[in-house]
Amino acid sequence: MKFEELSILIVEDCQDELETYISLAKTCGLIAYGASTSDEAKQLLSIKGFDFLLTDIHLSANKDSEIGEFGFEIIQYALETQPQLTVLTMSHDMDRAIFERAFALGTTHFLRKPITSADEIGIYIKLASQKKIASQNDDSLSVFLNQFSNNNLYKIYKNGVIISSKQDKFLSGVAKNKKIPLVLYGETGTGKEEFAKILHKKRVEIEGMIPFVIVNCPLLDNDLTNSLLFGHKKGAFTGANETTNGYVAAANNGILFLDEVQSLDIPTQRKLLRVLNDGSYSRVGDMRIIHTYFQLIVATTKDLDEEVEAGRMLADFKYRISGAELTLDPLRDRLDDISIFISVFFKKEGLFVNEELINQIAYKCKNCFWKGNIRQLFRVLQRMIINSQLHEEDLNIHHLQLPNENATKSLSGKKIFACVNELINPNENSQNELELLNLLQQAFHTDQSLNHLLDEIEKQILINAIKRHDSIAKAHTGLGISRNAIDAKRKKYKI
Ligand SMILES: Nc1ncnc2c1ncn2[C@@H]1O[C@H](COP(=O)(O)OP(=O)(O)OP(=O)(O)O)[C@@H](O)[C@H]1O
């Protein structure tokens, strides 16, 4: 893979690694420059234009300073001074917070260190260039997206976020009623944060720029939680050299998004409750009462009623954060949407993929469990592109590598039926079990709508689980779905 005449700045604090990366980049035909601290990188960026930046995250500001996450500062500086630049980030640490912050700042791809081959650099440079061209070619993306949006079932945003028209309307309603909090339920990777961002976008369209503050609750450091959320007064504790405003102040007149809200401890819930009731709070080490008003969005992978029942969440807090509620279904429950996700993903990556290949990929993906949901699907598709580039072949179905735990079971229909039959003793079959066996028999011997059959089977499983547990709360836990999900299914199947 050759990239003649294109230049790259590589920032890496380990001298040996820096030299290796420069030499690998040169093998790809890139004109490569190196820097080992953030000050050096900024200096180079201020005097010379580059096509690409490849930066480590953990490095020092200068030769005398300690190592910190200065890579973020470099990305920010680079894109401010050279907005046309394409940024790639590398790190040993594939920590999700780092990953997401790098992307939020404008990174197009994230490479795991150490990088050992020129091909690896070449592939990512090629992918990054395609993605950049696709995002600049906004018109073609919009025309493409409109094909799907026009059928009125979906709204597709320019950044590729796909949402049902019904959900979009719902969020528009919440945006107009900014006193209503929003609770987003859903497994990991179902798009809760994306939905929160859409709500913010809708409010900005109505009111102009307003703050949007994201708090990843599990990452709040126990000792510093109060200070991070509510700010502190200078001198309040050792190390409090300046008075700070916390997240709640930063969200004033805007939106505070508490991700994984169930992980907040009880004292913090109590303090937040006061803010949510009348907007009042005080900084750590300060008696003065201050006010802040924001719309609250919380996201959770848990059933909040159960959190209350288990004593992990204050009933008052749950009551106060409840308002509008949206449950984002797992990908395995929205198989009809898989083709659209795949099409939009490739379009955003700047790749033309024909309909036949999209259908083949979708067919295979529909048999997967997708425990990481849309995030996991997109990673698998990204891996597919990388596989095709590594083999220097046009993208084809053989490049698709489904995650192992998702591998389709290779039992034939007859074998599955025999297994089920063995599990259920025919002499003691309940009406419900017989119904299930009938359905499976029909499924294997006649042509019927797959979705209809799966719905019918799901219904029988739910009826059985509710009967077996004699409690809806226990049934949804047993089935590994949320309370909201079971309620929605009960409504759908009129159970
Ligand atoms: N509706 C969607 N349309 C397009 N892409 C989506 C959508 N939902 C999620 N994604 C993709 O999946 C990724 C993960 O989504 P997001 O972070 O919003 O999930 P989440 O539910 O907040 O996950 P977690 O609970 O782990 O924080 C996004 O970065 C995006 O690439």
Side-chain angles (χ1 to χ4, degrees), residues 96 100 159-163 167 186-198 216 257 259-260 299-301 328 334 341 344-345 348 372-376 378:
R96 197 170 137 212
E100 287 184 351
N159 62 357
V161 172
I162 304 163
I163 139 167
Q167 289 169 328
E187 292 178 10
T188 181
T190 46
K192 299 182 292 299
E193 187 169 326
E194 296 295 345
F195 274 53
K197 288 180 187 160
I198 291 175
N216 196 340
F257 174 49
D259 200 2
E260 295 290 352
T300 181
T301 48
L328 307 189
R334 42 189 306 202
F341 279 118
V344 172
F345 174 85
K348 267 190 72 199
N373 294 296
I374 306 168
R375 180 186 291 118
Q376 190 185 17
F378 284 0

